[in-house]
């Protein structure tokens, strides 16, 4: 039994694209090791975004393919999820200025 196909069912597998470097994985699919290495290479912000998209059941590729209106709804949901996460963090409960719109 091979575990190389486990990575393709990972909730984070669609958060990034790439071909397999593993000889055991079929062409176009990533192995669990490949998925792990790509996930570890992400910045903390990219990891957070990938995990939140996975919670919503959407990959980065699916998000890019959406029409602007649907994409905006997902992006707004991500912003709300980030805001809730920061507000519910007990270590940062009394700190100010943690959430800022840097695009304004």
């Amino acid at each position: 039994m091979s575990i190389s196909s486990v990575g393709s069912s990972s909730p984070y597998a669609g958060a990034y694209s790439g071909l397999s470097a593993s000889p055991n994985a079929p062409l176009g699919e990533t192995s669990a090791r490949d998925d792990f290495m790509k996930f570890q290479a992400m910045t903390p912000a990219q990891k957070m975004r990938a995990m939140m998209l996975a919670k919503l059941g959407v990959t980065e590729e699916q998000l890019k393919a959406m029409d602007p209106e649907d994409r905006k709804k997902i992006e707004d949901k991500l912003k709300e999820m980030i805001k809730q996460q920061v507000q519910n963090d007990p270590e940062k409960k009394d700190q100010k200025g943690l959430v800022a719109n840097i695009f304004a």
Side-chain angles (χ1 to χ4, degrees):
M1 179 175 167
S2 173
I3 61 169
S4 64
S5 63
V6 172
S8 61
S9 64
S10 165
Y12 313 116
Y16 37 78
S17 62
L19 295 177
S20 173
S22 171
N24 297 333
L27 186 60
E29 291 186 22
T30 57
S31 70
R33 182 181 184 282
D34 296 335
D35 288 343
F36 175 76
M37 296 303 289
K38 288 176 185 172
F39 188 75
Q40 287 304 99
M42 291 178 164
T43 66
Q46 289 170 326
K47 288 178 184 178
M48 187 169 143
R49 180 178 172 90
M51 288 187 285
M52 288 181 174
L53 281 172
K55 283 182 181 180
L56 296 174
V58 178
T59 66
E60 194 68 48
E61 289 77 25
Q62 290 170 330
L63 186 65
K64 288 177 185 176
M66 288 180 181
D67 61 83
E69 186 177 302
D70 290 336
R71 183 181 173 123
K72 183 174 180 354
K73 288 178 186 177
I74 298 290
E75 295 287 350
D76 289 343
K77 180 66 176 167
L78 290 174
K79 288 176 188 176
E80 185 61 32
M81 290 170 75
I82 292 168
K83 185 177 177 181
Q84 289 298 321
Q85 187 173 353
V86 170
Q87 288 176 345
N88 294 334
D89 188 347
E91 292 180 17
K92 300 189 177 13
K93 199 69 167 171
D94 295 324
Q95 290 183 339
K96 303 286 184 205
L98 291 174
V99 178
N101 185 355
I102 61 171
F103 299 110

